[in-house]
Every structure is written in structure tokens, then in C-alpha cells.
Amino acid sequence: LAQAFSGAASSAGRPSSAPPATAAMPPNAPQPENAKEQALWDAFQKFDVNGDGKIQEVEFTRLMKSLGSFSAKDIQRLFKEADTDKSGAVDWREFIKWICSGAATKTMSADSAASFARLLQQEARDEASFVEQAALCKQVTAYLKETNNSSEADLAAERARKKTKLKKQKGAAGLDGLNKVVTSDSMGIGDEYKGYRLPIPVTFEGAKGLMEHYLVHGETNPLHPKYVAYLTTAFTQAYKARHPKPVVVVETPKPGRLIVVGDTHGQLADVLHILNSCGLPTESNRFLFNGDMVDRGPYGVEILMMLFSFFLANQESIILHRGNHENEDMNALDSDCGGGFIDEVMRKYGLAAYRRFTSAFKSMSLCSVVEKEIFIVHGGLSRVSGMSVDYINTIDHTSVTAPHPQAADVKDQVFSDLVWSDPTNQPGKFKSERGIGIKFGTDITTKFCMQNRLRFVIRSHQVPDDGRGYMKQHDGRCVTIFSASNYCGDTGNFGAVLVLDSQHFPRYEIIEHYAPPLEDMSKLLGVGAPAKVDIEQQKADSDAATNAKRSERELERMIIAVIDKKPTLWSHVVDMGLRNQMDAEDWKELMSELVDPTLPWEEGLKQWGLANSAGKIEIDKFLSRWVVHLDSDKYSNFLTSAVQHVYQAVMALDMDLDKTLKMFDVDGDGSVDIKEVRQVLDMFDLGLTSTQLDRLTGRIFSEVCKIDEDKGGEKAQLKMKVQDFLGRFTVVYKSSQSAEGAGPKIEPWVSKVLGAVGRLIISTPADQLVHEIESAALKIQKCFRGTAVRKEMDNMKDKGEVMMTPRAGRKATKDDKKTEKAVAGVDKNGGANSAAAKMVRVFKAMDASGDGILQVEEFVNGLMMIPGINKLEADSGPLTKVKLMEVAQAIDADGNANGTINYLEFLQAFEPLEDSSGDIAESLAEDITTVLFRSRLAIRTGCQYFDEEGSGRVHAEEMLKVLQGVNSVLSRPQRMLTNSQISFLVEALKDSKDDADDDDWVDYDGFLRAFEILDTARENAVVKKF
């Protein structure tokens, strides 16, 4: 609240003590000076429900209770603080003083203040992401259409082949012939089905029986897929025939009534409660469901099955409007982001069933006119001036579920406005924060009603600001009805319906409710019998659970937001050279700036226990805590290939030791900073995207970074020793090879020898180790290289081109001394005996020629001088020189087969695999998984473009085109995978071939359903499945 309103006081000095001009205020009242003053007035009006210019205590109490964070005692105290003149009401002047002085939140807890502020904001963030996702999906489809070069004849033949195969599969499952079904007997449902048997043709008693079945069983005893297929297909055909136009002209039944139901969003308990309390749908008790029957809640299928059944039983009993959620682009979003219906249908009945639901959506009406006097629509009015009902009736509403959100066609814009727009108390038309539709003021509503000779507008689409089930605006000409009580299980609002009785028309009655949990419905209501329920008590009883769920969902949203922004956060860490530890205030500022400023990061900091004993947040631990995981063996094989490809790309450079070190340590000071490493890695084709390189660099540095004390203070730059970097980089590769079946084929005895030798190197003091190996190196010079080697070294010495090691008698140049310092490995953290330092010294000691590359002879003779190696065994026998030659050949892994071993091959053989060695590889793999997770909707859309029959599978080559298409439409910094990674992924996801099918298939539906978020701080506990 402080963040929302303190800016108004600071930017405008002090808000005007007079409110903005409205119909309820004196005509000479001054206008607001800026948008923030307008925001204050909008907040005041959320309290002032009756519009009398004062906040009565009952109004104040009702809104504050809807937040769920305040006790009755807290609310009473807060009202007394605001009511400074003790009049029993808070006027505009008292309100702004209460807000801007900070008194409003001074005595609130941080949680309560944050909850209060968030309530005063419009609920639109989730649905705004729909525009971005829908645009991306459309672009992917356009790309696939453009790049699919097959002829129409070839495409038709391929579709026919797929259709024939799928028909055989359906026939084996007993799902064919649905379009011919006309009676229950011909449905072909066997005795093994124990669920509800719906009479066909559907009767009123049959529809009632289905409702009672859901009342008792919910989704635990689902309707047979053949019934679902029949109901969706029959409804679509019947509704189109009964209501062919987008506008339904309807009368209130005489005698009888019309009951308008707002958003229900998959909340079956609310629909069952409404049908029980208001009576079942009949010709004289007609229902109008005003859109948004699906998404967010888990029971959209069951709600539609009931409504379709009642409509088929009597076509005059129900009218169904389309909302912004009867839309396949919205359905594709996760339930937490406003969607979820496609996931629900896929889980229950499959893709073919969902496509029948989308056909049903296309048949649904856009709006209705009751008795030529009342206009009912899901969202609101349009941006088009002078819009008439007759013009709406010319819209083609059956070709798509909804127009493209960025459509330029006027009729498409009107279509979108009807299902997306919201009213505002400020006159005029404004851009909506939802990203689509508009915000329309009182003048727009008045003009529309006058031009079309209407009394008022009924709409739905949003939770009323005061937590009730209805809201009246625009001098009573705009009435919002919202029927999903305790919306999403954490809002704490009431639901309501609006009843138009023919005896009292156009007067209406609003009936509020607060539905009990579905599991309690049959007990509280009794099957088929209305029950009297104290809704205030019902709400009070559920407040504690509502508050707990609200907190849980908010933390979950924060986790998903962090995961979604991980590439940005890692890039920021690399670009800014940030330290690994960060103050809490800096961390909260970073989260607000790069993730989402509206989320309660202070609460997250407490709940997650992020701060260490020094009160610092460790960035690498925080960014690695929640990971996206794909529960798929095939995908794990892909990740192994992708990680190995990176290391092999560097190792294939086959550089000598000095070049390898100098490539990263440009100034020769023995250490590298995070930005230097990132720039060098970018020079090579490592098969990584820009964000993956950021992740790899940042993760390696987080393992072994140190502050350069010479540069000291808070601004110290991250530095690490170059050999430590190469050591950690090698561990990435080794850990990926440890996966079953991964890496080059090495004999078990060779692996055992390498491990034993590595342990000897680590356990032997450095001076003793190097002395013995240097002795062998001098012998190699004499015995194997002879005069030619000595002559070559003398020539290089005279020219001052290279440094001679002390053992070989070379005189070091100034630059060579820098390199010697770089590889010496002497530091405060381990000295010459540290693992990284030893590896460099051992390699140099073996390198008799000083060329930075080990010949096989140098390698073998050097190993034979390591103390204790004569006690090792190889392949059930002594470790002889011949066996060591075989070991050398096995680790010459750069593919050149040239009988030499470079420094990275040496590290690969002997670098110890620490307990945390998998962290970097896992981090890189998680970056790949995360970008797939972020693009999963676009991937599904692309696969469904090819999967016309809804089998959930596509050809491997089609999957390749889809991933290339998604990559193509993303902006370059967001590119999710490289071409090589795409190829690895498709190859890994291929299904094994069977005898009846020689094609390579990919089960894309199974792949996209394997995502889950794990909390590594809680032993990989599953936070959420998708």
C-alpha cells in the first residue's frame, strides 16, 4: 500500500482534498491532477459501494474482511483511525489523509498491508501473458506453414495415411462410429463400465441424473469417453441450429424467470450449488451462463457436460455465452496463469476430445438482448464509436474461438472487446492492462444504452473489488455478476447470480452464495434438494483455509517467476560481475527490478529461509534451489549428449598447455574474472546459446570464486585461478560421462587404473611427485629425443621464444615468468599441494620437450615414476609399461588419433570427481530444460499443427521442424536451443520402432507433460507438476 500510494504524495505534493468529478460529486469539484490522484479516487470508490461519497462502517468492514488478513478487532480499530471526526463515516478528505500520512498501514502487519495493496490493484497480470503467448503460437504456426515445402498432394497423402492408422487404433479401442450414434444401445459401451449411463437421446431426467452423479462423485467416477464425444458433438450441432447468430434475442419465460450466471471457472461446487438453490434448467426456469465456464478450476469438463445435457434435453432451458476463456489460446496456459482447460481435457479424455470442445466453443453466442431492454455480454463494450447490436450480429463468430489478440480488423476488435473489456469509473475509453480489450467509462455505457434503447448492461469477467458476488457501476447501468465464490480457492469472495422474473421485469434480484467444498456438497445440500445455508458463516468457516492457500499460491507464483527469469538473472550476474553473496535489501531490489515488482519478496525471503548466518543471500544457491525437471529417461540421455558436446568442442582444439592457459588468462596474472571467461567461451563454437554460456560461466565461478583482495571492498571483482577454472570445466565433462552408457567406451580396468593413479597424484606431496617425474623426463630427453631435441631447444633459447623449465636448463623470459606464476598454483587456499596446482605441475614435469603436449612416451614414463604405482594392478595383473601404453591410447580422446595427450585430456583422466561435481553439469542441463519449459505452449501448438488427428505423436522430422520454428520466432537473446541441441533432443525422444510401423515417432504429449518443479533444498520435493 505504501508503495502504491506514497508516490502520489511525493510526485504531486499532496492530492487534492476534493475528489475527481463524477456523477455523485458536486459539478464544481476539481479534476485529478495526475494518474496517481485518480488511483486514490478509484480506491476510495472501492470502499464507497453505495456511491454516497462516504465510506460507511459496514462498507469498510465488508471490503477489509474480503482480504482475509484482518480480524474483526483490527478492522474496527482501522476504521476508527480513519474516521477522524467521529461521524461514523469516512469522507474523501479523511480517506486521503489516512492513506498518505501512512496511518493506514502503520499498525498493519507487513502481510496485511501487502494483501491490502494487492487487492486495490486490478486483477489482470495473469491474463496479460495470454497476448504474448498467443502471438508466439501464431508465429510458430505461420512459420511451419511457410517452411513446409511438401506439395499439397503429398500433404494430403500423409494426412490420409495418419488418419487410416489412427482409425485402426480407435477401432481397437472401440471408439469409432461415434458420429452414427443415436441411441443408448448403439453406443457400444460394455458392462465393464461402472459409471453413469446417460440415456440417448438425452432427457431431463438423464441430465438431472448426471448432475447428481457429479454431486456425489465429482471426477472420481468419470463419464465414459463415448458419452463425452456424443455430448460435445450433438451440442455443437444443435446450438448452431438454435442460435446461428452471435446475438441471442430472448424473452423471460412467462410465467418464469431468467437466471444469469457469471464466471464459474471450473468450480463445480458453485455450479451444483446454483442449480440446487435456483432450480434446474427448464423452459420456465431458463439459465444464461455468461461465459468463462472453464480454466483455472479443475472441473470445466464436468460443468460443460451438465450444461450440454440440459440443453440437449430442452433447447429453451439454457443459453451459453462465450467468454475470454472459451478460447484455445487461453486454455493452453497453465491454470496458475489463467488457463488449464486443455491440460484438464488431455488428462481426462485426450486431444481429440479437446478439439471437439473447441468446436463447441465456436458455436456459443457472444451476447444476448433480453426483452429488447437489457444487454448481457461477458466482458463489456467496444472501442468502436456508435456500435449497435445489429452491427454485432454481423460478426462471423463461428470460424474461430477468438480473434488474434492483435487483430486490426474492426469486427475482430469488436469481438475481442465484447469478451475482454472492463468498466472504469473514469469517463472515456482507455487501454486495458489485460493487454486486450478496453476500459470503458460511464459515458460509453450511457451512450451505448441510449443508441440501442437499452436500460442497462449485465456483464461478468472480473471479481468485484469489494469481494462480493456483484458490483454496480455507471449509475447502475453496468452490473457485474461473478459466480465463482472463493475464486481459485484463495480469493475469499462471494459468488452471485442475477434473477430476472417476468412478473417484476425489468427489476432484478441478486442472490449471493459461498459454496462449500465439493466433498461436503452432497451432505449439506442433499441430492436434488435445495438447502438453506448461512453464507456469511460458510465464508467465515473457510477463511483460515483460504488465507493459507492464498499464501501458498503466492509463494508458488514467485517460484515460477524466478524460474522464468533465470536466464535474465544469470546474465545479470555475469554482466555485472556480481559477488556470490548479496545483502537482503540488494536481493529484494534485484528481484523487484528483474522479476516482478508486485510480488512480496520480503515474505519469500522469510518463508524460504534464504539468508545465511551472516544475513547474506548466496546467489548460486538461490538460483539453483528450484529447478525444472523432466521426468524422462529419453530426455536425460539428451542432456548427457548436450553437456558432453560442449567439453568435446574445447578439447578438440588440441592446444598445448600454455595456449590453453593463456587463452583464458590474457594478462598472465594467474587468475581470470567472470567476464573474461565469458568472452573467451563466446569465441568458440561450443554448441551453446548465449544464455547457456552465461549459466555455465556463472555456475563454474560460483563453485570456486574468490574476492581479489587487492581490489578489496564491496566493489571487489570475482576472480579465480585459471587452472581451477579448467579443473571445474573438466569435472563437468567427467560427471556427464558417469551417466550410464555415456561417454567413450573405456575398458573397466582402464577406468580403475585412472582412478587409482589420480588418487596417488592427489595423496603424494607435490615436491616429491614432481622430482620423481622430472627425473624421468630428463631420461626421455636423452633416450628418445636426443640431439634433435636439444638442438631445437637451443635454437629456441637463443631466440628467446620459449621458457625452459628449471629441470631442462631453460632461462625464462619476463612473459614466461608470468605464465609460470599462472600455473604455479601457490595460494593461501592450498599452496602447491592443491589439486589444481598439482595437475599443472605434474603435466609440466612430464612434458620433457616443453611443447605443451605430452607424447605417449613422456606420459607413460612419467606415470611409472609416481611413488606407489608399482603396487597397482591392471586387468588382474601387474600394471606394466605395455598396460600404461593402452591407458594412454584410451585417454587420447580428441579424435585425432595422433598419439598425443593435451592438457584437457590429461585433466579428464585424473581430475578427481568431487561430491559436487555434477552441480555445473546439472546447472547447464537445467538451463536447457528451463527454456523448453518456458516455450512449452509454442512447442505444443506447433506439434498440434502436424497432429491433425489428435494422437499426441508426430514424426521425428516434424518435431525437428517445430523446435526450429520456435527457435526462429524467438528473439535472438531468447533462442532456446542450438541446432545441434535440437538434433540431439529429437534423436533422444524418438520412440522405439515396432514391427507394424517403420516411422520414427515422438510422443510430444508425454514429453510436455513430464515437466515438474523441484525444490533442491527439500531433497528435491516436487513443488508443482505440469
Side-chain angles (χ1 to χ4, degrees), residues 58-76:
V58 65
E59 295 172 326
F60 186 89
T61 301
R62 181 178 296 173
L63 180 60
M64 298 296 283
K65 282 181 66 177
S66 72
L67 296 172
S69 298
F70 301 94
S71 66
K73 188 175 181 180
D74 288 336
I75 295 171
Q76 187 178 28

Side-chain angles (χ1 to χ4, degrees), residues 126-406:
D126 288 343
E127 292 180 346
S129 64
F130 151 78
V131 178
E132 179 184 351
Q133 289 289 347
L136 179 62
C137 292
K138 303 287 185 187
Q139 290 172 346
V140 171
T141 302
Y143 172 91
L144 294 175
K145 289 180 179 178
E146 182 179 344
T147 57
N148 197 346
N149 297 321
S150 300
S151 67
E152 286 300 320
D154 291 339
L155 289 174
E158 177 62 20
R159 284 194 292 267
R161 188 181 71 82
K162 287 184 179 180
K163 192 171 184 178
T164 301
K165 182 176 179 179
L166 189 65
K167 189 174 181 180
K168 291 179 180 179
Q169 294 172 346
K170 284 184 174 181
L175 298 176
D176 54 342
L178 283 173
N179 290 333
K180 301 177 182 179
V181 171
V182 291
T183 66
S184 298
D185 293 338
S186 59
M187 290 291 287
I189 298 174
D191 294 339
E192 68 278 2
Y193 171 64
K194 304 301 181 184
Y196 181 71
R197 291 188 175 269
L198 183 70
I200 305 296
V202 182
T203 62
F204 173 79
E205 290 299 325
K208 179 182 176 183
L210 179 60
M211 184 200 75
E212 293 174 347
H213 174 78
Y214 286 141
L215 178 61
V216 175
H217 299 287
E219 65 175 351
T220 59
N221 190 354
L223 197 62
H224 195 282
K226 290 188 176 182
Y227 287 130
V228 175
Y230 169 79
L231 288 173
T232 49
T233 302
F235 168 82
T236 302
Q237 296 170 351
Y239 199 89
K240 276 185 179 180
R242 179 65 186 87
H243 301 297
K245 295 289 187 178
V247 182
V248 176
V249 178
V250 61
E251 305 287 325
T252 54
K254 297 179 179 59
R257 58 184 185 170
L258 176 67
I259 303 165
V260 181
V261 181
D263 299 33
T264 54
H265 279 296
Q267 296 188 190
L268 181 60
D270 284 282
V271 177
L272 291 171
H273 181 94
I274 290 167
L275 294 180
N276 252 272
S277 60
C278 297
L280 301 183
T282 63
E283 192 167 348
S284 61
N285 196 54
R286 186 175 299 159
F287 278 82
L288 191 157
F289 279 78
N290 198 25
D292 281 10
M293 286 81 73
V294 301
D295 276 342
R296 295 192 184 271
Y299 300 107
V301 168
E302 286 74 21
I303 290 173
L304 291 180
M305 290 299 93
M306 287 193 302
L307 301 185
F308 290 177
S309 296
F310 279 112
F311 176 82
L312 291 173
N314 187 334
Q315 295 184 13
E316 301 304 314
S317 65
I318 283 185
I319 297 168
L320 296 184
H321 281 180
R322 199 178 321 181
N324 62 306
H325 284 266
E326 279 70 50
N327 173 347
E328 51 202 320
D329 291 321
M330 280 299 302
N331 298 160
L333 298 175
D334 295 323
S335 59
D336 288 338
C337 296
F341 184 61
I342 187 171
D343 288 331
E344 178 192 347
V345 181
M346 291 288 288
R347 174 170 52 86
K348 295 175 179 177
Y349 295 106
L351 181 59
Y354 176 72
R355 286 180 169 160
R356 283 191 284 269
F357 278 112
T358 59
S359 296
F361 293 161
K362 292 175 185 178
S363 71
M364 293 178 183
S365 311
L366 296 185
C367 50
S368 293
V369 176
V370 184
E371 303 277 7
K372 300 181 181 180
E373 295 187 43
I374 301 172
F375 183 72
I376 306 178
V377 67
H378 175 73
L381 303 182
S382 176
R383 71 195 72 186
V384 176
S385 300
M387 184 186 68
S388 67
V389 173
D390 290 338
Y391 182 80
I392 297 173
N393 232 359
T394 65
I395 295 174
D396 177 12
H397 72 301
T398 60
S399 58
V400 294
T401 57
H404 189 284
Q406 297 171 337

